[in-house]
Amino acid sequence: MIRSDAEPKARGALEYGTDLEAPGMLWAALVRSPIAHGRIVRMDLSPARKMPGVVAVVGPEDLRTLLPKAALEAERPVFPLDEIRYRGEPVAAVAAETLEQARRAAATIEPEVESLRVDARIEDIFPEWPSPAAAKDPRVVGHVHARFGDVDAKFRSAELVHSETYRTSGVHQVAIEPHACLAEVRNGTFHIRSSTQTPFGLRDDVASILGIPESRLVVEGTWVGGGFGGKGAAFLEPYAVLLAIASGRPVKLSLTFEEEFELGRTTLPSIIRLDTAVHRGRIVARRVRLLLDTGASLPGRDFAVGYSIGFLLGPYRTTAYEIEGFALQTNKPPFGPHRAPFAPQSVFALESHIDGLARRLGVDPIEFRKLHAWREGDRTAYDQPVGPIGLEAGLEAAARTAGEWRAGLPSGHGIGVAAGFWSTGVGAGGEARLWLRPDGLTILEGEREIGNGSVVQGLALVAERVLGLPVEAIRVEYGDTATAPFDSGVFGSRTLGALGQAVEKAARSLANTLATRAGAQTVQLEMKNDRVLVVAGRRRQKLVDLLTPEERAAGGIEAHGKHYGSERKIDASRVVTGTVYPYQDFTAAVHLAEVEVDRETGHVRVVRYAAFQDVGKAVDSASVTGQVEGGVVMGLGTALSEEMLWTPEARLANPGLLDYRLPRIRDVPPIHVEAIEGFAGAGPFGAKGLGEPPIIPVPAAVANAVADATGTRVYELPMTPERVARALKLL
Amino acid sequence: MSDGPLTLTINGKPQQFERVPDAERLLDTLRWRAGLKGTKEGCRTGGCGACTVLVNGEPTLSCLVLSHEVSGENVTTIEGVAAEKVGRIVIRAFAEAGAVQCGYCTPGFVVALAGQLQGDGTPPSVASLLDGLEGNLCRCTGYRAIQKAVVAAREALK
Ligand code: FES
Ligand code: FES
């Protein structure tokens, strides 16, 4: 089935954030800090104000007069009021008649700065592994420590202890569409149009940053040219709003790719230490320690570390464990979500470690995982119940395929397996409004399709299944935050699971109303000559005939559905310090990679790939394939080539596509995609979200294949030819 | 010369623009002067292919071309490609193969592929068509569906 947005997108007919335009619009440019850490001693904005075409220039001082409340909101300042925290941090913004004029004026503003000591890397803060007392260092912005069971005793009595350290790098979402938004003030209301994954979240975020009441802010999403987590929270919008207030005109702000990279809120480097105690062939205790670079952190960075660290325990039964994580503030741009935030990195470390351990024990890596893998009814490390999960089934399917591959494996090739779990965010709430009209069904939503199909295709398919109406007769319409029903946004692989349930409920209530009116138990809808027919048993009647006079006047019948998840509980007695975050609605992914390693250059070629994805119940198999293939290839970038490189002064050395290498069309191997069904999720019909899971095991699967091919393990991402060659002692 | 007039034949129609700065890129002339926003703006540094158009039938990165450099030439954008047979076939193939997710890269891919498939005679081999798409990045699909679309479009034109 062809997605309704496919051809219009391919023809270039849809409007994205970068395409936004308004009559009388000005173009904006940002003035960015030339240093990574310091103070602004003086910044003269007046010459820029006199530049040709310039209409407004705003800096920290203007903030105080334009929006005094925003200036007081010190936690997330629009402009640094005191300290500059990373290189490229916006310190002022300009709006002019043309983009060229805005950029030229911005370039004339050269703040006089006083530099402070720069922390560029984790090692700058902690050259040695920190003791718990190190949490007092002001650069530790998050500290989490949890334990369960008699860890020390089990380590002491274990037959074998496997200890390793892994390192991961910063990677960027690199949506092909840069961030872009347009802000204007209409009758005292602030209107923002933006390429965003979360219109409602953006509204609340901008309101809090600028100190504007939410009721005076309206956000309308455009089509999104790739999000991957990077288009969630407020980013450019506050600057555009400020300039719109200062100039009295609509203001468009979009980023260059250099700015995308330098301002990027994305995955930053980490160091991970894993110790595992084994007794009688089984894991009996584990220690997991994480140092996570969270950059020029915003408040709440304990979330980054507290959420990430659980992925280091993996989807395995754990009898005794201790975890400790530190979120470290450096002078890089802030950490931010990037498709399954930090899970591919965690899983790279954990699944490399488990694989190496299995090899050390001389047991089959898949069998070793199966010994410990979560099954329904198990409890997580925080004592949450594990629901239906297709992990064992995935491992078994992978074992079969691995056996086939192994049979004809050329020398120099290797096969690697890796498993991962994900917590799909079905708990985050959402609502849907359905309009059934005599000629079809409309689903009204506040958020746009961001690409994976969960809105434009997924929601329509849910309504189709409940009502029987063909998907061609179902339209998804998008409103703004003032008119559309609330939804949390497209993130966390939640859209189909959570919003789908809202649509399902609304569709069921429509069906029930019509059934009552038709005097039947249930009804189905069908289309005939572009008219909706209501089928009750053997009776068919036109929808119009079942509508009340009011509904006929209004043009149809409306239904509203809501889904709000309940809060998940954890066993708080296991937490010593900080916050760990509960997971929910588990899904699993098991991947298999075959690689060939060039023994001279260290170059790794992925020969073929297989992904076994727990989907609960596939709502649309084409979308499953598309999500998995896309996730796998993005993961191959993380595994092999993508790496943000910072200098000791915390300057990003490769802020562009030239030196930050993404997978290209000739790089991708054949990818076998297999949906594992039968382990129902919380979504409609048992569906599970799958925007993020397919990227999670990829770096680990490739790393394990490299180890299988060479007998040597690579302990750092990405596995560039240079790193592999060094591991093979070729360099 | 500075801020001079510019003539381009865009999708078969000659168009005149007044006072176009010397440094203006073709991408911007097309999007903001001609109002043809189907050509997408990505990296602006030649790295992503989202801005691909045909200049005299040749796939070209419009972010790397100064508008005055191609003064008087024939420029075909996605809007023009979509109106012709080859373009329609390519678009259909992308839609059917599930090769369109966020869709931001798609017009660039369609133009780059249609440009190679235009003209009479046997279409180029799949390998050479894929080579011609090495400069187009897609972050959503993982390229497998795009490869299928390439094969299907080529078949349909054989
Ligand atoms: S915008 Fe032209 S190649 Fe990226
Ligand atoms: S479909 Fe999103 S970049 Fe290709």
Side-chain angles (χ1 to χ4, degrees), chain A residues 368-446:
Chain A
F368 188 63
R369 285 177 175 86
K370 271 170 63 189
L371 260 187
H372 302 90
W374 279 349
R375 292 191 211 105
E376 184 175 2
D378 281 338
R379 313 289 297 183
T380 69
Y382 312 146
D383 201 32
Q384 300 170 261
V386 174
I389 183 166
L391 176 60
E392 236 190 337
L395 286 166
E396 276 158 14
R400 280 193 294 277
T401 304
E404 286 160 26
W405 289 6
R406 189 71 69 187
L409 195 70
S411 83
H413 288 219
I415 296 173
V417 69
F421 80 94
W422 186 242
S423 159
T424 62
V426 180
E431 305 185 11
R433 195 180 302 154
L434 267 53
W435 259 99
L436 184 62
R437 300 172 210 270
D439 62 350
L441 179 78
T442 304
I443 302 173
L444 181 68
E445 271 316 324

Side-chain angles (χ1 to χ4, degrees), chain A residues 176 257 657, chain B residues 27 40-52 61-64 135:
Chain A
I176 308 298
F257 255 51
L657 293 176
Chain B
L27 173 64
K40 293 298 171 214
E41 172 178 342
C43 65
R44 294 184 70 89
T45 51
C48 75
C51 65
T52 308
L61 300 175
S62 64
C63 72
L64 293 186

Side-chain angles (χ1 to χ4, degrees), chain B:
Chain B
M1 185 183 65
S2 145
D3 291 14
L6 169 75
T7 314
L8 292 174
T9 301
I10 304 177
N11 300 329
K13 266 193 275 155
Q15 294 203 40
Q16 267 269 332
F17 304 100
E18 302 305 320
R19 301 184 41 203
V20 175
D22 282 354
E24 183 164 307
R25 319 228 190 140
L26 180 58
L27 173 64
D28 298 317
T29 304
L30 293 171
R31 283 169 57 81
W32 303 108
R33 290 183 199 269
L36 297 169
K37 294 193 219 162
T39 305
K40 293 298 171 214
E41 172 178 342
C43 65
R44 294 184 70 89
T45 51
C48 75
C51 65
T52 308
V53 299
L54 303 178
V55 175
N56 302 326
E58 279 301 308
T60 304
L61 300 175
S62 64
C63 72
L64 293 186
V65 173
L66 299 179
S67 301
H68 285 290
E69 263 180 81
V70 291
S71 165
E73 317 274 324
N74 270 304
V75 178
T76 313
T77 66
I78 180 65
E79 288 86 353
V81 167
E84 286 164 17
K85 181 178 154 229
V86 175
R88 275 199 298 269
I89 287 171
V90 170
I91 286 169
R92 188 85 201 153
F94 268 70
E96 279 174 356
V100 186
Q101 288 194 25
C102 83
Y104 203 77
C105 68
T106 320
F109 271 98
V110 168
V111 171
L113 181 59
Q116 297 181 78
L117 288 170
Q118 233 121 43
D120 310 322
T122 9
S125 69
V126 171
S128 100
L129 291 172
L130 292 179
D131 280 341
L133 299 176
E134 273 286 281
N136 291 74
L137 295 181
C138 174
R139 197 59 159 161
C140 299
T141 63
Y143 302 106
R144 297 292 300 170
I146 297 176
Q147 294 175 347
K148 274 186 216 136
V150 170
V151 173
R154 183 176 179 275
E155 280 303 309
L157 282 164
K158 257 204 326 222

